[in-house]
Amino acid sequence: MRADARRNLGKIVEAAAEVVAERGVGAPMEAIAKRAGVGVGTLYRRFPDRDALIAAVGDHYIHTMADALDAADHGSADAWSAIWDFVSWVAEPGRAALSTALAVLPDDVIADRTEFARVRARWVERFDDLVRRAQAEGTMRRDVGVEDLISLLNVFTCHPEDLPAPVAADPGRYLRLMLDGMKAGAATPAPSR
């Protein structure tokens, strides 16, 4: 691929991620091309239909998540701080909006794709390693697993419409409050009868 074609591809996918976050997966292709600074013909040469473009946005999204987790891990003093930084990053409004937009798609559009599945598996494995390190360091409750964190991220960033209005107004705040409950020393709920 020529250098200019590679640049255009990157600009299109970045622009599509922004526009989809703002307007949903049904955003006009013309709006995406305009945001990318390319013609509609260029967009359609790279992506013959909406599903192909949205699949590329999904791949871009999961790569960005994996890179952000690695950056949080390398840039933090300990595993708990890395988890906190990553969760805070994920909860930023633009990212949460993209998660919400992508969450409505059928699995075959994004989640069943080989590249997405491969990178997501690596991301889950790295996230799990971080959780286990935080537990070994004594900074995270031992009864919490990576799936608990992924479920929280899913609820707060992919499905804000299911949250009560006060929570939906600032989901990042409530996500961080929930995360605080996972910190070592937080009260463990009494077993139910």
Side-chain angles (χ1 to χ4, degrees):
M1 186 182 297
R2 294 184 340 241
D4 62 329
R6 210 172 19 257
R7 276 191 306 276
N8 281 344
L9 178 64
K11 288 190 324 188
I12 292 168
V13 172
E14 287 282 336
E18 292 170 9
V19 174
V20 166
E22 294 165 8
R23 299 174 70 175
V25 294
M29 299 291 266
E30 295 78 12
I32 294 167
K34 183 177 180 181
R35 178 79 56 95
V38 300
V40 175
T42 299
L43 181 124
Y44 278 107
R45 270 192 299 281
R46 298 300 307 145
F47 302 99
D49 58 32
R50 179 176 307 282
D51 283 354
L53 178 58
I54 297 304
V57 170
D59 288 348
H60 170 74
Y61 174 76
I62 198 65
H63 276 281
T64 302
M65 293 280 285
D67 292 346
L69 183 64
D70 290 343
D73 187 14
H74 297 319
S76 300
D78 56 50
W80 175 256
S81 297
I83 291 168
W84 182 269
D85 291 347
F86 175 71
V87 168
S88 295
W89 178 87
V90 170
E92 290 176 5
R95 270 181 216 89
L98 183 58
S99 299
T100 301
L102 295 176
V104 302
L105 296 170
D107 283 347
D108 65 331
V109 175
I110 294 179
D112 288 347
R113 290 173 39 84
T114 304
E115 177 67 4
F116 184 92
R118 182 187 65 76
V119 176
R120 186 184 188 285
R122 181 179 64 100
W123 172 76
V124 169
E125 182 180 311
R126 292 274 300 119
F127 205 6
D128 187 53
D129 289 345
L130 208 50
V131 167
R132 291 175 190 273
R133 277 192 7 235
Q135 291 168 334
E137 293 167 1
T139 55
M140 186 169 198
R141 288 173 37 176
R142 292 200 172 276
D143 62 334
V144 175
V146 72
E147 289 302 326
D148 297 316
L149 284 166
I150 291 171
S151 293
L152 275 178
L153 290 174
N154 187 9
V155 168
F156 281 92
T157 64
C158 297
H159 302 286
E161 72 280 358
D162 295 335
L163 299 171
V167 178
D170 190 1
R173 177 179 185 274
Y174 288 91
L175 178 58
R176 288 184 289 276
L177 287 171
M178 298 292 288
L179 184 60
D180 253 351
M182 296 179 178
K183 192 170 185 175
T188 305
S192 60
R193 295 180 194 229

